[in-house]
Amino acid sequence: MKIFLHTILAVSLLTAPVTAVAAEPDDGETTVTEDDSRDIRENAVVIPDGDADDIDIPVPSFIRQRANTITLNGSDPSKLRQAIKLSNLKPVSMLLIGDSHVQAGINAGVTRELLQYDFGNAGRGLVAPLRLSGTNEPADYYFQSRNQWNAVRLMNASWEQSVGFTGTSIHPLTSDSQLFIATSEKEDYNPFTSVTIFHRGQMTVKSVTTSEGKPVHFRSVPSRDYTHIILAEPVTNVDIDFSSAGDLTVYGASLESGRPGVKFHSIGNNGATFDTYNRIGNVGQGIAPLEPSLVIIALGTNEAFGKFDSAEFTRSIDRLVKNIRATNPDAFIVLTTPMECQRSITTSKKVRVKGKTKKGRPRYRTTSVKSYKVNTNIAPVRNAILDYGRRNHIAVYDWYEVAGGAGASASWISANLFAKDRVHHTAAGYRLEGRMLYDAILSTLRD
């Protein structure tokens, strides 16, 4: 088994003093500003990971392995357990929904591979046109096109077109278009025999070929929310030519192997919150064709930057959970708490210097230094999720506690598991997170 992944690393924050001319402050005045890190959280940068093929994932001593379980809170996982018992006959679908911690696919990739090693590989599952939308994409698939598209992302202030359950959408600017969808060339174990393209509007598939130009016999089965393309043979890439009537918006695709086992889908959007997914309005309906037996919602980090309102946050959780449950009544839902992270602090000191301005006024210099402190909103976010789960009988995976609880961020920094921004992880950190989530899911499946 090999995993080919990337890590999210935000643009490095300044640590050296920065000087600027200030306008007549009091001599020696010092101000402290908490940065919201919005640009870092919504525009992550992807860099290669040299240890990406290492699946031997050590667990540091500060990880609280005894806490690495899913607390049921009175919820019933029996349907999920029954589905996994029959996974040798019928594929089991699982879905992880999250923010930038999920978008790059590192933690989900580890969880997927380990579950598929145990229960069988039913396919790569959901892929989204993230790169076509102008953002980072997981390294184990390609979603490309030679045509021009109008793209919209979840975190855009306004949407020119509908945004689907994946949090992104692309609209072709021509009536005849093409999509190239593939698993990574480095992967040798992930061929697929069908492609389900999720979309709104009309799509008519005209031809399917491989990247070498070899025709692939197919059968196209249209539906209201998707087009299911059944292939005559397993492939690792397809070039799909199709026509549309001007109303088409594509949200993503699911790649399936036609074999039993596990499909572990993931949906991640940089900067996402419960509210931004609620803004889509029909996430539950969108994921319904995936027939998920397990839905894991891993959000909360972004809500912890800025003013936090526990009551409003709880209402946002409830809205998304109910939206998903309404159209996926058999899905076992798990909420995940965010682990402790840090936020940057800018300390600015204004001091008088020699000379005067052109207007004859005293000249000042501002020296700014960035440092970090624990984001104190993370703990209330975690507590709100735990409380919601207890009161509403929704299972909770307390990643905050598993990762090390209060003070965990310092341990992760020392172990090189946090990225420089102290919000995201390094690739090793995400692989560790994916391994721990796999262990927790496995424990729930076998209890």
Side-chain angles (χ1 to χ4, degrees):
M1 294 187 298
K2 288 187 176 181
I3 303 174
F4 295 88
L5 306 171
H6 288 66
T7 183
I8 298 177
L9 286 181
V11 178
S12 298
L13 298 176
L14 296 175
T15 55
V18 179
T19 60
V21 175
E24 291 197 288
D26 294 333
D27 193 11
E29 178 184 348
T30 299
T31 59
V32 178
T33 305
E34 292 189 356
D35 301 326
D36 67 4
S37 304
R38 181 170 181 175
D39 183 65
I40 290 171
R41 292 182 287 111
E42 295 186 11
N43 300 287
V45 176
V46 182
I47 64 172
D49 170 29
D51 297 323
D53 60 349
D54 183 9
I55 62 169
D56 182 16
I57 305 170
V59 180
S61 59
F62 53 79
I63 296 296
R64 299 174 179 176
Q65 296 197 60
R66 290 187 178 181
N68 194 42
T69 59
I70 294 173
T71 303
L72 299 181
N73 288 324
S75 59
D76 183 8
S78 60
K79 290 182 179 179
L80 172 62
R81 291 170 179 168
Q82 181 64 20
I84 206 69
K85 287 179 181 178
L86 299 176
S87 60
N88 60 331
L89 301 175
K90 179 183 178 181
V92 178
S93 176
M94 303 179 182
L95 172 63
L96 172 63
I97 301 174
D99 46 33
S100 58
H101 292 306
V102 175
Q103 180 170 322
I106 299 176
N107 45 16
V110 170
T111 306
R112 176 184 302 111
E113 184 169 1
L114 292 172
L115 285 170
Q116 290 181 340
Y117 181 79
D118 288 339
F119 301 106
N121 184 348
R124 169 56 175 82
L126 191 64
V127 297
L130 295 169
R131 190 164 296 169
L132 286 174
S133 300
T135 185
N136 58 295
E137 192 170 276
D140 66 335
Y141 73 79
Y142 301 95
F143 204 122
Q144 301 173 352
S145 179
R146 294 187 297 271
N147 305 111
Q148 290 187 326
W149 299 72
N150 188 61
V152 173
R153 299 207 306 267
L154 181 66
M155 298 306 295
N156 291 148
S158 60
W159 297 341
E160 298 178 16
Q161 63 207 36
S162 63
V163 172
F165 67 98
T166 61
T168 188
S169 71
I170 53 174
H171 169 69
L173 300 183
T174 55
S175 57
D176 293 318
S177 307
Q178 167 270 349
L179 283 172
F180 176 73
I181 303 175
T183 51
S184 171
E185 295 175 357
K186 297 178 181 178
E187 302 282 1
D188 58 3
Y189 65 94
N190 233 352
F192 48 92
T193 57
S194 71
V195 181
T196 302
I197 301 180
F198 300 98
H199 60 82
R200 179 179 181 181
Q202 179 185 338
M203 167 183 275
T204 303
V205 179
K206 298 190 296 184
S207 69
V208 178
T209 61
T210 65
S211 58
E212 295 81 18
K214 175 186 174 183
V216 178
H217 295 290
F218 71 95
R219 181 163 59 95
S220 178
V221 183
S223 183
R224 186 186 70 173
D225 300 317
Y226 57 87
T227 296
H228 187 50
I229 305 172
I230 303 169
L231 309 174
E233 59 186 292
V235 296
T236 56
N237 65 80
V238 286
D239 225 324
I240 304 171
D241 287 291
F242 60 91
S243 61
S244 57
D247 61 345
L248 179 68
T249 304
V250 175
Y251 306 136
S254 181
L255 310 180
E256 303 182 10
S257 69
R259 300 188 299 266
V262 168
K263 291 177 288 184
F264 192 84
H265 311 282
S266 63
I267 298 171
N269 289 274
N270 295 342
T273 64
F274 281 94
D275 264 350
T276 51
Y277 279 107
N278 286 331
R279 184 182 171 202
I280 296 172
N282 60 352
V283 171
Q285 180 182 329
I287 69 174
L290 300 175
E291 299 182 324
S293 295
L294 171 65
V295 177
I296 304 169
I297 306 173
L299 295 166
T301 297
N302 290 300
E303 285 91 338
F305 286 83
K307 186 177 180 180
F308 177 68
D309 185 319
S310 181
E312 182 178 342
F313 178 64
T314 300
R315 287 191 292 270
S316 297
I317 298 173
D318 189 58
R319 182 180 172 190
L320 184 59
V321 168
K322 287 180 176 177
N323 183 275
I324 291 172
R325 176 172 275 172
T327 45
N328 301 271
D330 293 333
F332 182 63
I333 298 176
V334 178
L335 297 172
T336 297
T337 63
M339 72 165 288
E340 181 185 272
C341 65
Q342 297 187 9
R343 64 190 308 164
S344 60
I345 307 296
T346 301
T347 303
S348 301
K349 186 173 183 179
K350 301 171 184 178
V351 295
R352 178 119 176 233
V353 295
K354 292 182 179 179
K356 294 185 178 181
T357 67
K358 291 181 179 180
K359 294 183 178 181
R361 297 174 180 174
R363 187 179 295 274
Y364 293 87
R365 182 186 66 201
T366 299
T367 301
S368 298
V369 178
K370 287 204 175 193
S371 58
Y372 297 88
K373 73 170 187 177
V374 170
N375 187 339
T376 55
N377 280 341
I378 288 288
V381 167
R382 176 238 186 175
N383 292 336
I385 294 173
L386 292 177
D387 183 62
Y388 178 85
R390 283 191 296 265
R391 290 188 294 103
N392 293 277
H393 307 295
I394 301 294
V396 175
Y397 177 55
D398 192 5
W399 174 235
Y400 178 95
E401 178 68 14
V402 175
S409 59
S411 299
W412 279 60
I413 291 167
S414 297
N416 295 318
L417 298 174
F418 253 1
K420 290 182 179 180
D421 59 36
R422 305 193 184 191
V423 177
H424 300 102
H425 308 332
T426 60
Y430 281 122
R431 288 198 297 271
L432 173 61
E433 182 180 11
R435 153 72 192 281
M436 301 312 296
L437 178 59
Y438 156 77
D439 287 344
I441 293 173
L442 202 63
S443 176
T444 298
L445 293 175
R446 291 178 173 173
D447 280 349

